[in-house]
Structure formats: structure tokens, C-alpha cells
Amino acid sequence: MTQHVTVRLSSGAIRGRRLDGHLSFRGIPYAAAPVGERRWRPPAPVTPWSEVRDATAPGNPAPQLAQSFADVTAVDEDCLTLDVTVPEAPGTGRPVMVWLHGGGGTNGTAATYDPQRLAVTGDVVVVAPNFRLGVLACFGHPGLADGGTFGLQDQQAVLRWVQREIARFGGDPENVTLFGESYGALMVAAHLVAPASAGLFHRAILQSAFAVMGSTPAHTFIPGVPALAPSWIPAAELDWLGAATAAEHGWVTPGSDPESALAQLRRVPVADLLQASAAFIRPAFGGPTLPESPEEALPAGRFHRIPLMLGTTRDEARFFVGLFADLAGNPVTAESYSRLLAEAFGAAAEEIAARYALDRFPTPSLAWAQLCTDRAWARPAWELGRVFATYTDTWFYEFADRDAPPIVPLPGFPAGAQHSSELVYQFDFPGGPSLSAAQRALADRMNRYWTAFATNGDPACADLPAWPDAGTGHVQSLAPGRIGGTDYVAEHGLDFWAHMP
């Protein structure tokens, strides 16, 4: 028999469920639906309700089209909801962890991640929101105020909701950790710089943050993809891109003034807008929400000085090479390897080819994946960690279980500790892979480190291997049966890459 539990919020009462060892509240609105005239506007307050609202089913995913790595299609813009997971044992003043999901900026939903193990293991309250993505989050157009920041503003609304309401779930609004993976970690970096985010969270964890600072040469993100633009776009450039995209798709009448153009754009069916979503994943800077690019602000120390954790997986790029090259029927070959190197690195290609000689690897695809892991993931993460450690207490990790069960299977391709592989250790996934006993033990230790950091601003646990801070150069390797320091710089050739494009 299902047991229900009711919590009264400032907007009205909600009814969640009592499950095995935890309480679950899902689909709680934290802002008004951004539909109609509210499309591309800041999140507005919810309308209070009088009856007890059911909170046992997840909210709508943000509008998105299914991808090879995310089999979810959604077109309902009424998506600004969050889930709360609480240990069943009575308690107050628990640390709070707010999770920002990944998905490339176009995909993802909170419902995919079940944080009950994290919550119960660490005695923390976990909040997981949905927020606008892609063209609905990062669109800009002449006349559109503070364009390119609507997803970021949604997340700020979540953090303000936590300040108002989380004590009702036994959480401590003065001890909030913001953590995210991949695109979610990129957004955490934005919050570290965004003025209005100051004071809304007190610690942060960035898991596999991609290209927060620096360049990404051609093919090093995905083979066949040109050099990536910076992760942050100037507001004026975004306005130009939005206007050009709207004209190209015929969404506005030629010659329309900005006000009438925006009115037309707010009537375009969301399914049509989603066709252009991939072009609008970069948060804009130069407006009120994000005045300065994190790429400039972070190295200069202009960010909220709070304890920080960050890290990568051992084989980040195997996900992208395996999924978008090998499984797409276009594996890297000895011939294409030379071409990719030349197009990515120009005059330095020969020296890099000697460092990553094909005879050192089982296949050219695995050689390219190692090169990309080192250049596009390890190097920028290490540089970001050094920046953080200059200004605040920082801890660095590497998830290194090369037998980790992948969330997205790569049949016939050695997945290793690929991008996102650590998530199975932190969360449960519907129909997802299972862990061995040794991997489950690692998962428990990881969740204890993560929640100790959320509790105390330091991942140290008395009965777990010591974890020195990144200021000492220490990187904590996390693998079954082996937790301890690793030579991250040597492992990823970072002294070599320091002199390369």
C-alpha cells in the first residue's frame, strides 16, 4: 500500500510518497509555466493552489528532440518543476544538494536521475529541477531583454525556491551545494560568476565540465565537427544569430520591427523552434544576468569564493568517438587519423602524431579518443582546477573505473571510464545498468565523499582514504579497490599539451 506524506509550501500543500528509506516529491512547480507571452521571459512566480497538489509523478521534460544519447521527445513548455528527495528518518538542518543535469544543452530531464542512494547515504536533501533548454533557454533577438540566459534564470529561481521552502523538507537553506555534470557543470560555472546567484549556494561541484575556458580544436569534441566556438556568446552576437535564424526559417515577416518580430516568434510552434535548438546552447554574457564571460571572470578571480570540487573521467572522449564515429559507421582509420590531426593542429600535427602514435593503441579510434580526452577534457579541467585552487579551497578527482557500465551502450567499442560513466555510481536510472559488488562499494564511497563535501565543505571522511586539496597538486583517483592519488599530469600528457595549440 502506497504511503503518502504531505508538505505545506508557501504556494500550497503537496502530497508525495514514502518509499523504501526515503520520501519522494516530484513535479513541484517552482515558477509559472513559460508559455505564450511568457516564452523567453524571466521565470514568474507560481499561482498558489488551494487543494492538496499531487507530487508523485515527474514533471514534463523541457522541450527537446530525441537524440542518439537521449531517447526523450517533449514539446510541452510547461516544464518548470523540480523533484525533492529526503531521507525517511526525521531530521532538520540537513545539507541540500541541487542537481543540474547534463545533455548537451538541448536534452535531459530530472526524472532520469533517482538520487535516493545519495540522499540516504549522506543524509542530505536532493533537489533536481527541470529548466529550459536549447532555443527556449539561450535564444536571443534584437529587442529581447537579457536573451540567452533564460535557463540560467530558471536555475536561479530554483535556488531561490530552495531558500524559501527547503526547511519544510528538513533542509538547511544556509548549506546548499550546487552540482552538475557536463552541460550542468557548465551552468554551475556560470552561477559562480552570475551576480544574482551570490549567496544562493555555498559549495559547488563541477563534474566533467566541458570547455569552461579555452579553445576546442576541430575534431577533438566529435570527429568531423569543426573547432568549437567558446562556450559563452556575447549578447550582441546572439541577437544577430537569433535574427538570422528567425529570418532563415521564415518565423518572422521580413522588415518587422523588434516588438512585432518577438510577438510572431512567441507564436511559432515549439516543434518548429526545436529544429534550431542545437544552435542555441551557449549562455549569453553582457546583460544583467551574466555581465561577464566566465572565460574571462574565472581566471581573474572574479567569482563567488566558495569551496569547490571538480573532476573528469579517465576516458571522457570514448563516449563521443564511440557514439558519433564508430557506431555511426565512420570509425577513425589510419588514413583519417592523419587528416584529423592536420586539420586540428596544423604545424603541430607531426609532433602530436609522434606522441600519440597509432602503434601504441588497439585501434585508430582509441588513439583519437585518448588524444581528445587529454586535449579537450583533461587539459581544460586541470587549468580550471588550478584557477580555482588559486582563490579558494578546491578538490580534484578522476573517475577511473574502466569497467564502468555505460549509461549509453557502445556495442563493440571499449567504453572505459567514458563521459558520464560516474553517474551510475551516484544515481539510479530507470532500466539502467547494474553495478557489481565492488562497484557498488565504490559508489557508496563516492557518495560519502560528495555528501561530506556538501556537509562540511571538505570531502574528508574519517574511515576513507585521505583526499588532499588540489592546492597540493593532488588528484583523487576513484576506482573499485583503489582510491588514492594519481599523477594526472603525466597520465594525460599535460606538460606536453601545455605547449600545443
Side-chain angles (χ1 to χ4, degrees):
M1 179 178 176
T2 301
Q3 289 187 301
H4 291 102
V5 57
T6 300
V7 172
R8 185 165 296 280
L9 307 176
S10 58
S11 51
I14 57 169
R15 180 189 300 111
R17 291 191 297 168
R18 188 181 304 275
L19 300 172
D20 184 19
H22 67 285
L23 311 178
S24 172
F25 304 86
R26 313 193 74 179
I28 306 168
Y30 64 86
V35 300
E37 284 301 305
R38 286 188 172 149
R39 179 187 285 177
W40 298 315
R41 295 191 193 277
V46 299
T47 300
W49 55 89
S50 55
E51 301 296 322
V52 177
R53 183 186 183 104
D54 182 70
T56 62
N60 297 322
Q64 57 192 277
L65 300 177
Q67 307 285 347
S68 56
F69 58 88
D71 189 21
V72 173
T73 297
V75 294
D76 192 335
E77 291 179 76
D78 183 2
C79 64
L80 301 187
T81 64
L82 54 80
D83 299 343
V84 180
T85 304
V86 186
E88 182 179 25
T92 60
R94 285 183 166 116
V96 182
M97 301 185 73
V98 179
W99 170 248
L100 302 183
H101 67 73
T106 57
N107 291 79
T109 174
T112 303
Y113 305 85
D114 180 353
Q116 58 92 11
R117 280 190 290 118
L118 187 68
V120 173
T121 296
D123 197 33
V124 299
V125 177
V126 182
V127 177
N130 288 329
F131 41 88
R132 282 174 282 186
L133 298 169
V135 69
L136 296 170
C138 291
F139 186 73
H141 192 277
L144 181 59
D146 211 11
T149 65
F150 301 109
L152 189 62
Q153 292 183 60
D154 291 345
Q155 295 155 18
Q156 289 176 335
V158 170
L159 293 169
R160 290 192 298 269
W161 183 95
V162 168
Q163 291 299 304
R164 293 192 311 270
E165 310 289 358
I166 207 64
R168 303 169 192 266
F169 298 88
D172 180 1
E174 298 302 316
N175 188 0
V176 177
T177 296
L178 185 64
F179 72 132
E181 186 264 349
S182 195
Y183 190 81
L186 186 78
M187 300 304 285
V188 174
H191 287 288
L192 288 173
V193 174
S197 298
L200 297 179
F201 62 107
H202 312 93
R203 319 164 190 324
I205 305 171
L206 297 86
Q207 301 180 205
S208 299
F210 182 73
V212 172
M213 307 184 309
S215 63
T216 307
H219 311 300
T220 58
F221 177 46
I222 295 173
V225 171
L228 297 187
S231 295
W232 322 96
I233 184 170
E237 183 180 333
L238 179 63
D239 286 352
W240 176 88
L241 176 63
T245 302
E248 176 188 348
H249 287 270
W251 292 336
V252 299
T253 303
S256 296
D257 62 84
E259 185 176 350
S260 60
L262 288 171
Q264 294 173 63
L265 284 164
R266 289 191 170 102
R267 293 193 294 269
V268 175
V270 70
D272 294 348
L273 293 176
L274 290 176
Q275 303 303 318
S277 222
F280 297 95
I281 59 173
R282 295 188 288 160
F285 65 91
T289 299
L290 195 62
E292 187 177 12
S293 169
E295 184 170 15
E296 301 294 331
L298 291 170
R302 293 190 291 273
F303 63 90
H304 311 314
R305 304 289 178 82
I306 58 175
L308 296 168
M309 268 178 58
L310 76 160
T312 61
T313 68
R314 176 68 181 81
D315 305 299
E316 294 272 9
R318 289 197 191 184
F319 175 88
F320 302 94
V321 175
L323 185 62
F324 297 108
D326 278 50
L327 267 66
N330 189 31
V332 179
T333 64
E335 180 181 7
S336 65
Y337 189 73
S338 298
R339 175 181 57 79
L340 293 172
L341 277 169
E343 292 179 1
F345 300 108
E350 188 173 338
E351 189 176 354
I352 296 171
R355 175 85 185 196
Y356 293 84
L358 288 179
D359 60 10
R360 291 179 49 211
F361 299 91
T363 67
S365 282
L366 286 173
W368 190 254
Q370 184 64 59
L371 184 158
C372 295
T373 292
D374 296 348
R375 171 57 185 84
W377 293 93
R379 172 175 147 175
W382 181 248
E383 291 172 351
L384 182 62
R386 290 172 70 185
V387 163
F388 286 160
T390 299
Y391 297 103
T392 192
D393 294 338
T394 303
W395 288 265
F396 201 108
Y397 72 87
E398 179 178 65
F399 177 77
D401 183 5
R402 287 184 142 167
D403 294 317
I407 299 173
V408 179
L410 303 177
F413 190 85
Q418 65 170 349
H419 184 69
S420 77
S421 55
E422 84 279 20
L423 298 179
V424 179
Y425 294 69
Q426 299 173 279
F427 302 95
D428 292 325
F429 291 79
S434 59
L435 300 176
S436 69
Q439 289 171 331
R440 182 67 68 156
L442 173 63
D444 180 73
R445 289 168 172 80
M446 286 174 58
N447 281 348
R448 289 177 60 205
Y449 277 134
W450 260 242
T451 55
F453 176 78
T455 302
N456 304 310
D458 184 330
C461 294
D463 58 341
L464 293 182
W467 186 341
D469 66 76
T472 67
H474 181 89
V475 175
Q476 190 84 329
S477 177
L478 303 168
R482 189 199 177 282
I483 295 176
T486 187
D487 192 341
Y488 192 82
V489 170
E491 187 179 274
H492 294 288
L494 299 185
D495 287 340
F496 170 82
W497 282 109
H499 307 289
M500 291 291 120

